[in-house]
Amino acid sequence: MPDAPQTIDPDGRLGHPQVRIDGRAKVTGATRYASDIALPGVAHAALVTSPIVRGRILGFDLDAARAMPGLLGIFTHRDFADAIRPVAHLMAGGYANTSHRPLGSDRIAYAGQIVALVVAETSEAAHAAAGVVRVRYAPEPFAGGFDAPGAEAVRLADLKSDHADPRVGDDAAGFAAGPVRIEARYETPIQHHNPMELFTTACAWEGGRLTVHEPTRYVEAVRHGLAAQLGMAAADIRVVSGPLGGHFGSKLALSQHTAPVALAARRLGRPVSLVPTRKQCFTIANYRPESRHHLRLAATRDGRFTALVHEAEVTTSRFDPFAMEGTDVTARLYACPAIRTEERAVRIDRNTPGPMRAPPEVPYLFALESAVDEMAEALGLDPIELRRRNDTDREPIAGKPFSSRPLMACFDAGARAFDWARRVPEVGAMRIETGEGAWRVGLGCAAAVRPVKTGPATMRVSLDAEGGARVETAHHEIGNGIATLLAMGASEWLGVPIERVAVGLGDTALPAAGLSGGSATTTSLMHTLHLGCGQVRARLAAAAATGPLQGVDPASLRLAEGRLHAPDGRSLPLAEAVALCGGTVETLAEFVPEGAKPGALDAVRAGRIALGTGGMGETLSWGFGAQFAEVHVHAETGVIRVARLTGAFAAGRVLNPLTARSQLTGGMIWGIGSALLEESVLDRGRYRNDDLAEYLVATAADAPRIEAVLVPDADTAVNPLGLKGLGELGIIGVNAAIANAVHHATGRRLRRLPIRAEALL
Ligand code: MOS
């Protein structure tokens, strides 16, 4: 490989804790999020959304709204229906979070659907005017949930052509061979992303060119999606997404509110900015759908699984194919000769759901890892020991090997850090007394696993004669610290101080890159950067080898501390090498991961999803973890407190332990909210608790002692740098670990999330 880059130096910057390069700006408030952009002459938009779930708009009464001071325009389907063309959902090869066409007709397909856009001189005036828009509706019957009349179950395999329910062996024979059996049903609720930064957009035209400032994880999808909706050339649209103020799985791709705002800006001849309300963010974007699971598990008396059946259902909208493929993971986690799964999506009258941090693993592993705990209890076996007896280095469906399988290493490291040995096996045997009364103490654990994803990306890497480096790509800083990692990598691989590395992200004017999601960011971008730095190094080395470092093998030159170093001890300042190349050395890296589908890079350039094989190729590559929870349950009131969480995680090479721990502990804190607090409650088809007063998320007061242990995972087969990504791993398994701990404390097996005190009374 002529461009062979330097590998990771154990004494270098990568792999050691590095404070975020954007940390100071964030904590001092200097960071500008997309929502902070104040465009000159901007007008402000507000949304009117449907209170009915299904039916038809009969008419509007706009007189009161039109009379409001500062009103500039009111736009409904009568204004925009033909102006916005349909765009497919991103899982159907399109760009959109929902294929439902905004302001497309008089039909109402779900509660909270956008029915009008009101624009005024100020945000206050726009919201006031939106508040007096009167809409007359003809409501129709609707299906609001799983069992409602009109709900339509579809096998996932029929919904998604690339899904096959994992199956192996004969489950009847498996149950016959396993005398110890568990059968249980589990349920998880609707959960909504509630990032601090709302789902905003701001659109400005300059001649025929449109610029959009919007928090999104995929600027290219927004750009190409808008181009398709508005019948424009993608080259005439620029999408800028500064650092995101949180997303958690939302802010995915083309949002439905962007095209109406862009059209309003064009018609009014001035920029328009939309800040929806928190309530509207429950329906104009995606969310985690409810799920239910039927688990049957059989084992021999010595704890070997003989059969596993996992049937699951999730809800989805009438019109989109979003559904999660959770049995891909639950069917492959443990050794078992007979496995049968079936997944169904149930179409109902709801806005389209979407990914939320570890989309399938959070609900599906809640079910499986609860069932495994129930089996351990039935067998009278320690839950870790049961997992050890069913550990495997080959997945059971097709017998494919894992590139590494440190699951039990995680359980062992976690058990040590958590002091699992102090757990008294008998249920209800551990108690403490505090000033608040008597508490039952429970200790529970669960596995966390997630397939590795990698995507193609392009990146410009440059080095100037003053020793400054630039790294630029249309990928996004979603809060995970990728800007810091890129600066660390460029510093190490180009041999420049980290302070001299400038990182540009989140703009379609930069080289194309894919969706920032699927825990694929570090893996995708660090390989792209590695390639780019290798190309820069090769150019410098070739010039040096024909000049001052005459005779040296160019491939042997290393960049470090501002110099090119030859193995014979000679060296050359980088500035001189750059000058030999005629000034700035600039290169475009085009990274395509091994095993990517043909055309993956073109797909990313066109704003489509191209996230590799998802760790499910001929060799399975997964990240692993083990979660441990200690809960205290008040003996009289049933109040549940998580006293301690320990997670041990093995997810390949860790490049910045500081941001890695931050990702993992953040996920674990969210896991507490997921297990005990979060649920969107439906009332007659509408979300009832759609604000932060009633939709409860975990706060600092809910967060106990949390420890994330990093377990070594030297997986050289997964990819050249041994990276797996861990953005989503930290939340996985927390639900089950807490539910299992509650059972250990109280003897009550709670199979529906969130677990609330009232369920224990
Ligand atoms: Mo995934 S929740 O879209 O990063």
Side-chain angles (χ1 to χ4, degrees):
M1 247 195 0
D3 293 344
Q6 295 169 198
T7 49
I8 293 172
D9 177 356
D11 299 321
R13 194 173 282 281
L14 291 168
H16 300 283
Q18 169 68 49
V19 173
R20 293 176 64 132
I21 59 169
D22 49 358
R24 175 179 293 269
K26 286 190 97 162
V27 298
T28 58
T31 300
R32 285 287 161 264
Y33 298 90
S35 304
D36 294 327
I37 303 294
L39 298 166
V42 72
H44 297 268
L47 300 174
V48 180
T49 57
S50 165
I52 72 160
V53 184
R54 190 164 167 270
R56 202 161 63 79
I57 297 171
L58 296 176
F60 295 91
D61 178 356
L62 304 177
D63 292 348
R66 287 216 174 96
M68 297 293 273
L71 189 93
L72 295 170
I74 302 175
F75 304 95
T76 71
H77 68 274
R78 292 176 181 163
D79 303 285
F80 286 163
D82 301 324
I84 302 175
R85 302 175 192 184
V87 169
H89 188 266
L90 78 175
M91 308 245 160
Y95 306 100
N97 297 335
T98 175
S99 66
H100 190 265
R101 192 153 62 116
L103 299 176
S105 78
D106 62 353
R107 294 294 315 168
I108 299 298
Y110 54 88
Q113 177 182 322
I114 299 170
V115 297
L117 183 79
V118 179
V119 186
E121 290 291 347
T122 64
S123 175
E124 292 76 6
H127 282 282
V132 295
V133 166
R134 292 287 163 258
V135 189
R136 279 169 285 118
Y137 298 96
E140 294 168 12
F142 62 87
F146 277 128
D147 300 314
E152 182 198 352
V154 191
R155 289 194 54 217
L156 191 56
D158 295 330
L159 192 69
K160 299 174 92 164
S161 55
D162 58 351
H163 177 87
D165 291 320
R167 287 177 184 186
V168 70
D170 173 356
D171 56 287
F175 281 106
V180 186
R181 293 173 202 148
I182 291 298
E183 175 167 10
R185 291 175 191 273
Y186 304 90
E187 287 179 50
T188 66
I190 303 166
Q191 297 177 339
H192 274 84
H193 322 91
N194 273 290
M196 295 272 278
E197 184 190 37
L198 298 165
F199 306 137
T200 66
T201 194
C203 298
W205 294 84
E206 225 184 294
R209 293 179 53 88
L210 171 65
T211 301
V212 179
H213 296 272
E214 179 173 319
T216 176
R217 295 189 282 144
Y218 200 175
V219 287
E220 286 295 352
V222 175
R223 177 162 86 118
H224 285 88
L226 269 179
Q229 280 181 312
L230 302 179
M232 293 173 62
D236 289 333
I237 301 176
R238 178 179 175 195
V239 179
V240 186
S241 175
L244 270 77
H247 73 88
F248 316 124
S250 64
K251 301 178 181 170
L252 192 59
L254 177 68
S255 301
Q256 51 166 314
H257 46 277
T258 311
V261 171
L263 286 178
R266 188 155 73 188
R267 297 213 181 161
L268 294 171
R270 58 193 279 192
V272 174
S273 151
L274 168 71
V275 179
T277 64
R278 176 66 63 184
K279 283 182 185 296
Q280 289 167 345
C281 289
F282 275 67
T283 64
I284 64 168
N286 311 122
Y287 59 95
R288 195 195 294 279
E290 63 269 54
S291 74
R292 55 188 190 186
H293 307 258
H294 182 198
L295 259 291
R296 294 196 296 142
L297 190 56
T300 58
R301 293 203 192 282
D302 66 347
R304 316 272 163 191
F305 297 151
T306 59
L308 166 67
V309 175
H310 188 168
E311 294 167 300
E313 302 187 299
V314 297
T315 59
T316 193
S317 67
R318 290 277 181 210
F319 33 85
D320 282 324
F322 181 82
M324 303 171 294
E325 295 163 279
T327 60
D328 278 353
V329 166
T330 56
R332 290 180 172 88
L333 178 49
Y334 297 114
C336 186
I339 297 169
R340 185 165 61 77
T341 70
E342 184 170 325
E343 284 189 63
R344 287 177 296 274
V346 179
R347 290 194 181 282
I348 57 171
D349 298 298
R350 193 85 74 61
N351 52 318
T352 300
M356 184 187 270
R357 203 170 192 175
E361 291 83 6
V362 164
Y364 282 71
L365 280 172
F366 165 63
L368 179 69
E369 288 298 287
S370 294
V372 169
D373 199 73
E374 298 201 36
M375 177 59 87
E377 188 196 9
L379 289 161
L381 208 57
D382 177 86
I384 299 178
E385 179 55 26
L386 177 59
R387 290 176 175 90
R388 196 183 312 281
R389 289 188 191 176
N390 294 284
D391 190 25
T392 175
D393 55 10
R394 287 183 175 266
E395 56 86 28
I397 301 296
K400 295 176 184 176
F402 286 95
S403 58
S404 73
R405 172 82 187 187
L407 178 67
M408 295 320 298
C410 292
F411 271 102
D412 292 340
R416 271 194 306 277
F418 184 75
D419 194 12
W420 180 256
R422 69 182 263 266
R423 181 178 187 265
V424 180
E426 290 73 40
V427 159
M430 297 175 74
R431 292 177 180 235
I432 55 165
E433 197 78 36
T434 72
E436 296 168 305
W439 300 78
R440 299 172 200 276
V441 174
L443 273 50
C445 67
V449 295
R450 181 167 160 93
V452 175
K453 295 185 182 180
T454 312
T458 68
M459 186 182 289
R460 189 157 52 229
V461 181
S462 66
L463 188 61
D464 64 37
E466 284 73 50
R470 284 195 81 79
V471 176
E472 295 170 305
T473 173
H475 229 78
H476 321 79
E477 174 56 80
I478 58 174
N480 49 4
I482 188 61
T484 304
L485 266 192
L486 291 170
M488 291 168 72
S491 168
E492 177 160 340
W493 292 324
L494 296 177
V496 302
I498 192 166
E499 300 74 29
R500 301 303 317 277
V501 183
V503 179
L505 296 167
D507 188 336
T508 52
L510 302 177
L515 165 76
S516 297
S519 302
T521 299
T522 297
T523 305
S524 309
L525 289 202
M526 293 308 281
H527 282 98
T528 314
L529 176 69
H530 195 229
L531 185 65
C533 291
Q535 290 171 193
V536 169
R537 192 197 61 88
R539 296 251 300 272
L540 297 173
T546 54
L549 300 181
Q550 200 69 250
V552 77
D553 171 10
S556 71
L557 290 172
R558 291 179 55 83
L559 280 62
E561 286 149 5
R563 301 181 80 86
L564 276 170
H565 297 271
D568 61 12
R570 286 183 295 162
S571 73
L572 180 72
L574 275 183
E576 285 180 35
V578 172
L580 289 174
C581 296
T584 297
V585 178
E586 182 179 296
T587 180
L588 182 73
E590 300 183 321
F591 170 70
V592 180
E594 207 183 304
K597 286 188 188 139
L601 207 50
D602 292 335
V604 155
R605 288 195 172 106
R608 299 184 197 279
I609 301 283
L611 272 185
T613 56
M616 296 285 204
E618 284 313 300
T619 298
L620 269 61
S621 288
W622 291 11
F624 293 89
Q627 305 274 12
F628 293 81
E630 174 177 336
V631 302
H632 297 173
V633 182
H634 195 272
E636 281 157 40
T637 63
V639 163
I640 304 163
R641 288 208 184 126
V642 177
R644 208 151 57 101
L645 273 186
T646 301
F649 304 96
R653 188 200 293 266
V654 170
L655 294 178
N656 185 354
L658 200 61
T659 47
R661 279 213 177 78
S662 165
Q663 285 287 297
L664 292 165
T665 52
M668 292 164 75
I669 292 168
W670 193 5
I672 296 171
S674 180
L676 302 179
L677 301 170
E678 289 197 42
E679 173 176 26
S680 303
V681 178
L682 281 169
D683 177 25
R684 283 160 287 176
R686 297 166 63 183
Y687 304 120
R688 175 70 183 77
N689 55 334
D690 51 355
D691 57 51
L692 288 175
E694 295 197 70
Y695 184 93
L696 300 181
V697 299
T699 65
D702 299 298
R705 281 166 55 202
I706 296 190
E707 187 183 4
V709 179
L710 299 174
V711 178
D713 179 19
D715 185 338
T716 49
V718 58
N719 51 45
L721 295 176
L723 304 176
K724 288 186 171 178
L726 44 67
E728 290 164 286
L729 198 54
I731 190 176
I732 301 168
V734 179
N735 283 314
I738 289 175
N740 295 341
V742 167
H743 173 264
H744 179 237
T746 64
R748 299 286 300 281
R749 184 63 71 175
L750 297 175
R751 302 184 180 91
R752 188 191 183 288
L753 297 178
I755 296 171
R756 296 232 169 93
E758 47 268 39
L760 290 168
L761 293 179

